[in-house]
Amino acid sequence: MNTMLRKSVLGIAGLAFTGGIFAGPVAAHADARPVEGKPAAVATVQGAQSHIDLNDEQLANAKAIIAATKKAGLPERAAVISIATSLQESKLENLGHLGDANDHDSLGLFQQRPSSGWGTPEQITNPEYATLAFEKGLKQVDGWDKMPLTEAAQTVQVSAYPDAYAQWEQQATDVVHQHWNS
């Protein structure tokens, strides 16, 4: 890739990154609506929602995220953000190395990278470890529990697609609501 094109692409990515971190997603707020039974200040569904049918493995991974969240002493909202993030990053599949389809060295439920300090490949493909690592980052975000899900997730993940997490909020909320007390 020539230098000028590369700088343009990186510049656009930088603008998208800055918009996601500092300004927050704008379009996602246009269709915000309260989640039934949750205070509007901490639980609004943002924009159009996606849904996938979960197989046994995906459901087991969602339950592992919930268990790790409880172990960390965090509230249901942390589990919702964690599951929505995993739905976006891996569709709740504990992904190993995907060869040419791999995004750098991203692995596991949250597509965490050993080269970015998330842990060893063995650690970040362990659902409990990966969840606790993600939630450790989440706890370092001031006001994470009061901000839109996509903003909280993006601040931890620093994705090239900062608004993408919002589409999974309703399904993540439903999964947590169904399995939190089971």
Side-chain angles (χ1 to χ4, degrees):
M1 181 181 298
N2 73 38
T3 304
M4 182 173 265
L5 178 59
R6 187 171 70 79
K7 286 182 178 179
S8 295
V9 169
L10 292 174
I12 291 168
L15 286 174
F17 174 79
T18 302
I21 294 293
F22 297 111
V26 177
H29 295 288
D31 187 29
R33 60 191 184 280
V35 176
E36 187 175 323
K38 300 289 181 188
V42 295
T44 54
V45 172
Q46 316 259 307
Q49 295 294 292
S50 294
H51 179 89
I52 59 171
D53 291 329
L54 301 180
N55 64 31
D56 291 342
E57 176 190 354
Q58 292 165 309
L59 186 56
N61 287 329
K63 289 178 178 181
I65 290 171
I66 291 168
T69 303
K70 288 179 173 184
K71 182 176 185 175
L74 291 171
E76 290 180 52
R77 182 70 177 158
V80 170
I81 294 168
S82 299
I83 289 173
T85 300
S86 181
L87 278 163
Q88 175 58 32
E89 295 292 345
S90 70
K91 302 297 183 271
L92 281 168
E93 293 177 9
N94 197 4
L95 300 174
H97 195 278
L98 301 174
D100 290 342
N102 226 52
D103 180 23
H104 304 286
D105 58 341
S106 301
L107 300 168
L109 294 171
F110 295 89
Q111 289 294 279
Q112 296 159 327
R113 297 179 59 197
S115 64
S116 295
W118 284 102
T120 67
E122 294 77 23
Q123 289 172 319
I124 60 180
T125 54
N126 173 296
E128 179 179 327
Y129 178 92
T131 301
L132 294 175
F134 173 80
E135 290 176 349
K136 179 181 179 184
L138 186 64
K139 289 189 295 188
Q140 294 173 1
V141 176
D142 287 335
W144 68 267
D145 54 334
K146 295 173 184 62
M147 64 179 53
L149 179 144
T150 197
E151 209 173 305
Q154 171 62 9
T155 303
V156 176
Q157 293 292 101
V158 192
S159 169
Y161 305 99
D163 297 336
Y165 302 105
Q167 69 183 313
W168 300 106
E169 186 162 7
Q170 187 63 59
Q171 184 168 10
T173 300
D174 293 345
V175 168
V176 171
H177 181 74
Q178 183 177 3
H179 297 286
W180 185 261
N181 292 317
S182 58

